[in-house]
Amino acid sequence: MTHVPPPFDPELAAALELIKDMISPGLTPDEIAEVRQGPGIQLLAELDLTMGGAFEVEDRQVPGPQGEPDISLLICRPAGPETAGPRPVIYHVHGGGMIIGNNRVGVDVPLAWAQALDAVVVSVEYRLAPEHPHPAPVEDVYAGLLWTADHAAGLGADPERIVIAGASAGGGLCAALALLTRDRKGPQPIGQVLMCPMLDDRNDTPSSYQMAGLGVWDRTSNETGWTALLGSRRGGPDVPAYAAPARAEDLTGLPPAFLDVGSAETFRDEVVAYASRIWQAGGVAELHVWPGGFHGFDGFAPQAALSQAARGAQVAWLRRLLGV
């Protein structure tokens, strides 16, 4: 069987051409340290998290999982007048293939939502693999959710209106968080936004073969990330759903989900399958497959028409979910 890739959207193909010398689709383990120090991460330090004064920003150290180090939360609260009632919360989990990034990565997206929705953003920093394999990342993310729910009143926020959201590895961790907090009877988010989520350690879908060597995150990168998280267990029979949500046998009782993915990216088929399994379990999900989109296209080319449509669909879903 040949694996002919679907074409990239023309605007996005042009954007890929501009960044091809800076981002290789196939990240190998020996490149992790270099990428962590790359220009993209350094630029995050210059990001205006106040969005021109719209938010008050603080970093706060809060308790991590029992017996583990504290974790850092980036808290961004609207700087405008207090509202009549508590604000909703966007609890954000950053991407980076489980191996790179911090709580600034991708936070511009939930901050833009929060401006439109008058919401608080809390972005969690979690320990990275391979130094901290599973379950360290998801346990850190769970600890941050516990703190956010317990201290929502002090943030002017509503613990009953927490939406969990993340892209790529962050989307996968949000899917795992939804499973974990359901099973532990912890705080129950009212929704989950899973943007091009990293869900399946098996790395064996048709789209993972179609997109080999293309885009910004191919099956080589995917193997690097999952092996860092799981070691020799990757792809084997004993991978827990809290590490790779595609392994979950029970998808009942989850909060409504928004899932999106590009048609021209490694994660396409696992995301479509996950949405289908939520429906099969009687759950609520909205799925968008953006034609010609590569992994994370809306972040790399935010002005492209497809990116604008994707961002608009996210905000529209959140408005319906939150009733604002």
Side-chain angles (χ1 to χ4, degrees):
M1 176 181 176
T2 58
H3 296 285
V4 179
F8 293 119
D9 171 89
E11 270 190 293
L12 300 182
L16 266 180
E17 188 66 22
L18 292 174
I19 63 174
K20 67 178 183 180
D21 294 332
M22 294 183 289
I23 298 179
S24 166
L27 177 68
T28 56
D30 59 307
E31 296 172 313
I32 293 174
E34 179 183 352
V35 173
R36 285 178 178 174
Q37 302 303 317
I41 299 298
Q42 294 173 13
L43 284 172
L44 294 170
E46 303 170 17
L47 184 66
D48 176 19
L49 298 173
T50 74
M51 303 288 279
F55 292 93
E56 298 172 352
V57 177
E58 67 170 310
D59 287 285
R60 192 176 296 194
Q61 295 294 117
V62 307
Q66 187 171 6
E68 301 294 342
D70 288 352
I71 56 175
S72 176
L73 297 180
L74 171 68
I75 301 170
C76 304
R77 289 181 281 182
E82 291 298 322
T83 54
R87 294 178 164 105
V89 180
I90 309 294
Y91 181 75
H92 174 251
V93 185
H94 72 80
M98 306 288 183
I99 51 180
I100 59 177
N102 57 40
N103 58 16
R104 267 79 173 154
V105 169
V107 77
D108 57 308
V109 175
L111 284 174
W113 300 341
Q115 273 193 289
L117 303 168
D118 193 33
V120 176
V121 173
V122 177
S123 188
V124 61
E125 187 125 343
Y126 54 88
R127 289 169 290 170
L128 299 174
E131 296 88 346
H132 304 285
H134 177 78
V138 73
E139 290 290 356
D140 286 354
V141 169
Y142 182 70
L145 178 66
L146 289 178
W147 186 93
T148 300
D150 289 344
H151 296 81
L155 304 177
D158 185 350
E160 303 298 322
R161 290 201 298 161
I162 298 175
V163 179
I164 59 177
S168 195
L173 283 165
C174 283
L177 177 62
L179 295 166
L180 189 63
T181 198
R182 176 199 66 183
D183 296 345
R184 291 182 178 175
K185 298 182 171 32
Q188 296 303 303
I190 66 165
Q192 51 180 328
V193 181
L194 312 179
M195 299 172 286
C196 54
M198 181 177 176
L199 300 168
D200 196 340
D201 65 292
R202 289 164 290 199
N203 203 23
D204 61 359
T205 62
S207 58
S208 75
Y209 286 100
Q210 278 183 305
M211 302 311 300
L214 299 173
V216 298
W217 184 268
D218 75 351
R219 59 180 294 102
T220 297
S221 295
N222 211 30
E223 181 173 335
T224 296
W226 281 115
T227 302
L229 185 73
L230 295 168
S232 61
R233 290 189 294 168
R234 185 196 68 79
D238 300 319
V239 173
Y242 305 140
R247 300 293 197 121
E249 295 182 2
D250 178 11
L251 295 183
T252 61
L254 296 175
F258 176 100
L259 305 95
D260 70 357
V261 70
S263 70
E265 71 157 291
T266 300
F267 294 156
R268 182 196 66 219
D269 293 342
E270 64 196 68
V271 174
V272 171
Y274 198 73
S276 295
R277 292 184 58 223
I278 291 174
W279 296 321
Q280 290 159 13
V284 176
E286 178 171 317
L287 170 67
H288 293 261
V289 181
W290 299 105
F294 61 84
H295 184 64
F297 66 89
D298 55 325
F300 288 103
Q303 299 310 313
L306 202 71
S307 302
Q308 294 289 305
R311 295 283 174 91
Q314 294 159 6
V315 173
W317 184 84
L318 287 164
R319 283 195 186 280
R320 294 195 300 273
L321 179 75
L322 296 170
V324 296

